[in-house]
């Protein structure tokens, strides 16, 4: 169900910002978070604000093309949120984390267009995954200062991967989404954990 009003959405965004900051997923002013409102607007973090110290003034509204509706300045990456809302009518929230693990992993996988994970119980935190006996590929797209370039590059990768609930921008971080902000947070948290688990497994294998 879509968030009924801006006040509720703002409170949820502030809470996620504090949680992500505590996990080192939102250093400096990185990351951005949004919620689709029941009236069709999107509540999203204002450009350049520290996500661990958000207030109600740090959340603004845009339309589904990413245009500001209240005179505040949206992040350039608002276009990536808007693209996902237009593409997936059921999506109610988009969250962008910026963890060292996701940035480092995508930089290490130079040239790769996806990261495939299989066999993990925690994959069931992703929507539509009901068993560990499964493989999911999350797309990786190269970074750009032009959001239209990223949006155009990621769309066919999402189709090819079967529309997973997340993707990476190389050297930039993770985008995850869900039917509401709670589901989007589960997607991001599970994905970040899976990166760490895969890294730990490789470290233990090197010791064997």
């Amino acid at each position: 169900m879509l968030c009924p009003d801006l006040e509720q959405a703002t409170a949820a965004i502030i809470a996620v910002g504090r949680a992500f900051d505590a996990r080192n997923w939102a250093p400096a002013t990185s990351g951005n978070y949004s919620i689709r409102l029941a009236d069709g607007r999107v509540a999203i973090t204002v450009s350049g604000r520290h996500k661990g110290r958000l207030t109600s003034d740090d959340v603004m509204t845009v339309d589904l093309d990413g245009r500001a509706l209240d005179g505040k300045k949206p992040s350039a990456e608002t276009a990536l949120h808007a693209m996902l809302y237009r593409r997936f009518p059921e999506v109610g929230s988009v969250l962008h984390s910026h963890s060292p693990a996701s940035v480092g992993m995508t930089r290490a996988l130079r040239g790769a267009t996806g990261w495939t994970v299989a066999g993990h119980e925690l994959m069931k935190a992703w929507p539509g995954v009901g068993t560990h006996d499964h493989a999911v590929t999350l797309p990786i797209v190269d970074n750009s200062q032009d959001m239209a370039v990223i949006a155009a590059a990621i769309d066919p990768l999402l189709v090819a991967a079967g529309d997973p609930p997340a993707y990476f921008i190389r050297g930039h971080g993770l985008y995850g989404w869900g039917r509401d902000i709670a589901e989007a947070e589960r997607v991001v948290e599970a994905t970040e954990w899976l990166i760490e688990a895969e890294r730990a497994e490789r470290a233990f294998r090197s010791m064997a």
Side-chain angles (χ1 to χ4, degrees), residues 118-178:
H120 285 281
E121 181 70 13
L122 202 65
M123 291 169 58
K124 294 193 296 184
W126 288 335
V129 179
T131 174
H132 73 282
D133 189 18
H134 192 69
V136 174
T137 297
L138 301 184
I140 302 172
V141 64
D142 286 334
N143 197 12
S144 173
Q145 297 307 301
D146 187 336
M147 297 304 111
V149 170
I150 294 177
I154 195 59
D155 191 67
L157 294 178
L158 288 171
V159 172
D163 284 337
Y167 74 85
F168 300 96
I169 301 175
R170 194 182 319 279
H172 188 140
L174 168 69
Y175 272 82
W177 52 91

Side-chain angles (χ1 to χ4, degrees), residues 98-136:
H98 203 285
S99 74
S102 65
V103 170
M105 184 267 287
T106 56
R107 284 172 59 87
L109 296 178
R110 297 185 184 279
T113 59
W115 176 63
T116 300
V117 60
H120 285 281
E121 181 70 13
L122 202 65
M123 291 169 58
K124 294 193 296 184
W126 288 335
V129 179
T131 174
H132 73 282
D133 189 18
H134 192 69
V136 174

Side-chain angles (χ1 to χ4, degrees), residues 13-15 20 69 86 96 125-127 131 133 147 154 156 177 185 197 204 208:
I13 287 171
I14 290 171
F20 279 21
L69 298 175
R86 292 194 305 269
H96 168 40
W126 288 335
T131 174
D133 189 18
M147 297 304 111
I154 195 59
W177 52 91
E185 185 175 10
F204 282 119

Side-chain angles (χ1 to χ4, degrees), residues 20 32 34-36 80-81 83-85 87-97 125-128 137-139 154-155 157-159 161-169 173-189 191:
F20 279 21
N32 32 74
S34 68
I35 294 176
R36 192 201 302 252
L80 300 180
H81 291 247
M83 179 271 287
L84 290 167
Y85 288 124
R87 193 177 192 281
F88 300 114
E90 72 280 8
V91 167
S93 179
V94 179
L95 303 175
H96 168 40
S97 59
W126 288 335
T137 297
L138 301 184
I154 195 59
D155 191 67
L157 294 178
L158 288 171
V159 172
D163 284 337
Y167 74 85
F168 300 96
I169 301 175
L174 168 69
Y175 272 82
W177 52 91
R179 289 167 294 183
D180 54 29
I181 196 167
E183 184 170 82
E185 185 175 10
R186 285 196 299 274
V187 166
V188 171
E189 185 171 2
T191 305

